[in-house]
Amino acid sequence: MSKSQPLSVFVMAIISLTSAATLYAETEETIEPLVLQGVMQQLGRDMQAVAGAIATEDWSTVAELSPQIARHAQPPMMEKLRILSWLGSDAGKFREFDGEVHDAATAMEEAAMRGQGQAVVKAFSEVQLSCLGCHQNFREPFTKHFYERR
């Protein structure tokens, strides 16, 4: 064995380990929860709290929670880019649903500040319809893509 053979064996071992580590990281990455999952969970809690506040006509709580729904947290830029890349040509549709949620939640806040219960309920319904539309279009394929092992 020449002196270069141990070096080349070492280099090949490093390349193999690096490739294996990369593959492992990509596999693990697909099953670790994305930040977006936490954002969705918080939105769910906020929507449940708003529903409870509407039931008791607690307009100040609705007005307090509505901006959190309208301007919910965003995933980090790298995650957002992964999601947008996956969405491809559907990215505009995804953003449209998000814009509808923002607009309806803002209307809900304004109606709550005026104490207009019927307008609050109407805006809340619009928020929920936008959420439902997004979920029906994207949740199942999103979950399969980002959370199921390949």
Side-chain angles (χ1 to χ4, degrees), residues 69-150:
I69 295 167
R71 293 180 292 282
H72 58 79
Q74 299 288 317
M77 185 54 68
M78 291 304 293
E79 182 176 309
K80 193 181 285 191
L81 291 173
R82 276 181 67 203
I83 294 167
L84 290 174
S85 173
W86 170 76
L87 285 165
S89 63
D90 285 333
K93 188 176 187 180
F94 185 83
R95 287 182 173 168
E96 186 176 323
F97 283 122
D98 191 47
E100 290 171 1
V101 167
H102 175 272
D103 294 348
T106 299
M108 184 168 62
E109 175 189 17
E110 292 167 359
M113 290 172 60
R114 292 188 304 268
Q116 297 175 328
Q118 287 187 350
V120 168
V121 171
K122 181 178 184 292
F124 181 76
S125 172
E126 291 171 6
V127 173
Q128 287 204 298
L129 288 171
S130 297
C131 291
L132 179 64
C134 188
H135 294 170
Q136 288 182 334
N137 279 271
F138 298 109
R139 184 169 31 201
E140 185 178 338
F142 181 93
T143 301
K144 283 182 181 178
H145 179 80
F146 287 103
Y147 294 110
E148 290 183 7
R149 289 188 186 264
R150 295 177 218 183

Side-chain angles (χ1 to χ4, degrees), residues 56-72:
T56 60
E57 299 179 44
D58 181 357
W59 308 130
S60 63
T61 297
V62 173
E64 179 184 322
L65 292 170
S66 295
Q68 294 173 340
I69 295 167
R71 293 180 292 282
H72 58 79

